[in-house]
Amino acid sequence: MTIWQRINQLAIGIVMLLLGVLLFLYDADTYPVIIVLYSLALQLTGYRLLWYYFTMARHMVGGRSILFRGALFLDFGLFTGSLLTVPQFYVLIYLTGTLAFSAIVDLLRAREARGIQASWKLKTFQGAVKLLTVLICLIYLHSEALVVDIFSVGFVFSALMRIVNACRRTRVITIS
Amino acid sequence: MDFPVYQPDNSERAISLRRHRDALAISGAAVIAFSIWDMIKVFIELFLGEETLSSMVATVIEAIDVTDPEDMKYVPLIAWVTTVTILLLACAAIFFYHFIIGISAYRAGRQTAGKKNRLYLVLTVLILAVSLFFYTPNILHFFPRDEETDQIGLATLLVELTSIANYLFLLYSAYRIHQLEREALS
C-alpha cells in the first residue's frame, strides 16, 4: 500500500467507525446518513472516472470502458440517493448483504494469501467474524431492533479491522 | 539461447485494426452491462419506487368489476401472476436482444466468432433507431432547464446518451474493421 492508500483506508475506517457507533446509539435514524454518504461516494467515483476519461483515457487503448464505468457509477450513485423513501428494513437487508459480500471476499483473499505463504490469519479471522455477524443477523431477522444492534457491532468491527490493516506494516517485495 | 519471441505486426494498419477490434469488444460488453443495469433499475423502481407494482396491480383490479363476490377472491391472485409474468417475459426478451448484440460484438472484437455474422449490426441499427425515437423527446424536453428537472433525470439522461453513443461507437468500429480488413486483402 502506498501512503495515499493508507490515508484513504484510514479515513474510510474512521467514518465507518463513527457510523457504526451512531447506528448502535440511534438505531434506524442513521439510515438516511448512511444512504447519503454511500450515494456521495458513488457519485464522486463516477465524476472522477468521467473526468479521467475526458482528460486522458480517451486516447488509451480500451479507455472507453472507463467512460461506461463512470456513467454507471454516477447513475448508481444518483439512484441510491433517490431511495431515501424506501422502507428502512430493506436498507438493513442491503447493508447486511454488503457485509456478507465483503466477508466472502476476505475469506477468498485469505485463501489466496495462504497459497503464496503470505500472512493469512488476520484476514481469515476478519472474514469469519463478519460471516458470523451476518448469520446471527439472519437468525434474529424477526426483531428489527436486535438486528440493527448486531449489525452495528459487525460494522464497527469491520471499521476497526480496516484501520488496523491500514496501520499494519506490509512487506514490500521487489522483483529484480 | 533463442526464445520464440512474439513479433507483432506493427504497421499503421495493424495498429488501427487492433484498436478498433478492442473498441468493438468493449462496446459489446458495455451493451450487456447497460442492459443488466437497466433491468435491475426497473425492478428496484417497481418494488421500492414511488409508483410501485402493487399500486399498478391495484388499479388493474379496480378496473375489472366482478359481479360475483365469490370470484373476487381469485382476482388479485390472477392479476398479480399475469402482471409479473408479462413483466418478466418483457425483461427477458429485451435482455436477450441486447445480449445477442453484445456477445456477437464481443466475439467479433476478440476474433473468437465461429463464422462471420452481420445480424448483430442490423439489430444494433434497429435498437439505435428505437432509442433515438424514444429518447429524443426526453432530451429535447430536458435541455431548456426547468426547475422541475432533478438529478435523477440528469442521471437517466446521461445513461441514455452514453448508451446511444455506445451503439454509434459499435457501428463505427465494425465499419472501420470491415474497411481495414478489405484493404489488407487487396
Side-chain angles (χ1 to χ4, degrees):
Chain A
M1 273 198 279
T2 62
I3 187 86
W4 276 112
Q5 278 169 324
R6 274 176 207 277
I7 291 171
N8 206 350
Q9 292 290 310
L10 212 60
I12 295 174
I14 289 168
V15 171
M16 275 171 72
L17 192 65
L18 283 177
L19 280 181
V21 173
L22 281 178
L23 202 60
F24 193 79
L25 292 180
Y26 299 105
D27 285 0
D29 296 338
T30 323
Y31 289 150
V33 181
I34 291 178
I35 288 194
V36 166
L37 277 180
Y38 195 63
S39 144
L40 268 182
L42 283 168
Q43 279 179 46
L44 281 179
T45 314
Y47 285 126
R48 212 195 61 210
L49 284 176
L50 283 182
W51 175 251
Y52 180 53
Y53 174 75
F54 284 114
T55 51
M56 164 120 185
R58 222 152 34 105
H59 307 294
M60 300 183 340
V61 172
R64 208 173 280 157
S65 65
I66 308 267
L67 169 68
F68 301 137
R69 227 177 288 166
L72 283 181
F73 265 113
L74 191 57
D75 193 34
F76 191 37
L78 290 171
F79 189 70
T80 310
S82 79
L83 288 181
L84 274 178
T85 51
V86 302
Q88 299 187 318
F89 195 58
Y90 286 111
V91 179
L92 194 64
I93 290 177
Y94 173 75
L95 289 174
T96 317
T98 50
L99 194 66
F101 182 73
S102 82
I104 290 166
V105 169
D106 279 343
L107 285 176
L108 287 178
R109 279 177 65 190
R111 192 164 157 269
E112 193 193 338
R114 200 179 171 188
I116 55 168
Q117 273 98 42
S119 61
W120 53 275
K121 282 174 190 148
L122 195 66
K123 269 262 175 281
T124 315
F125 171 66
Q126 195 179 341
V129 171
K130 280 183 192 170
L131 206 59
L132 205 67
T133 319
V134 172
L135 283 181
I136 297 173
C137 271
L138 286 181
I139 291 169
Y140 287 102
L141 205 58
H142 54 269
S143 83
E144 197 183 335
L146 210 54
V147 172
V148 176
D149 287 347
I150 296 163
F151 174 76
S152 65
V153 170
F155 204 65
V156 168
F157 172 78
S158 87
L160 284 178
M161 289 315 277
R162 202 181 269 267
I163 293 173
V164 167
N165 271 324
C167 297
R168 210 154 57 113
R169 196 177 290 175
T170 45
R171 205 164 43 163
V172 178
I173 302 165
T174 46
I175 299 167
S176 54
Chain B
M1 225 165 97
D2 270 356
F3 289 109
V5 179
Y6 173 59
Q7 298 283 355
D9 174 14
N10 276 338
S11 64
E12 194 82 3
R13 183 187 297 143
I15 289 173
S16 189
L17 197 56
R18 276 206 295 273
R19 245 189 127 84
H20 283 111
R21 276 190 180 138
D22 191 66
L24 186 61
I26 287 174
S27 287
V31 169
I32 298 179
F34 274 100
S35 177
I36 290 174
W37 170 234
D38 271 349
M39 297 291 129
I40 292 174
K41 225 163 89 165
V42 164
F43 274 96
I44 294 179
E45 236 158 35
L46 281 178
F47 284 102
L48 302 177
E50 279 161 23
E51 195 179 331
T52 55
L53 196 63
S54 43
S55 68
M56 275 157 60
V57 173
T59 49
V60 170
I61 291 171
E62 270 176 27
I64 310 164
D65 49 69
V66 183
T67 44
D68 192 3
E70 193 59 16
D71 291 344
M72 204 55 209
K73 282 192 298 191
Y74 302 108
V75 169
L77 182 71
I78 294 168
W80 266 101
V81 169
T82 331
T83 320
V84 170
T85 316
I86 290 171
L87 192 71
L88 281 177
L89 280 179
C91 279
I94 293 171
F95 177 69
F96 188 63
Y97 190 94
H98 285 101
F99 186 74
I100 288 176
I101 295 179
I103 202 80
S104 308
Y106 188 83
R107 282 191 182 145
R110 293 271 181 263
Q111 292 173 281
T112 48
K115 57 178 192 257
K116 266 222 175 346
N117 174 8
R118 296 244 177 274
L119 179 67
Y120 75 94
L121 294 175
V122 180
L123 293 181
T124 314
V125 172
L126 275 179
I127 191 90
L128 182 63
V130 171
S131 329
L132 279 177
F133 180 72
F134 279 112
Y135 294 156
T136 311
N138 268 6
I139 295 165
L140 290 182
H141 178 75
F142 190 81
F143 267 112
R145 286 195 64 101
D146 314 336
E147 285 110 54
E148 288 171 26
T149 51
D150 50 347
Q151 288 211 307
I152 311 304
L154 179 69
T156 317
L157 186 80
L158 192 92
V159 169
E160 281 167 6
L161 281 179
T162 319
S163 70
I164 288 177
N166 185 21
Y167 295 133
L168 289 174
F169 283 146
L170 197 155
L171 288 175
Y172 176 69
S173 296
Y175 169 69
R176 287 288 293 159
I177 290 170
H178 176 69
Q179 217 178 24
L180 287 165
E181 273 174 351
R182 222 169 43 178
E183 261 177 46
L185 283 179
S186 62

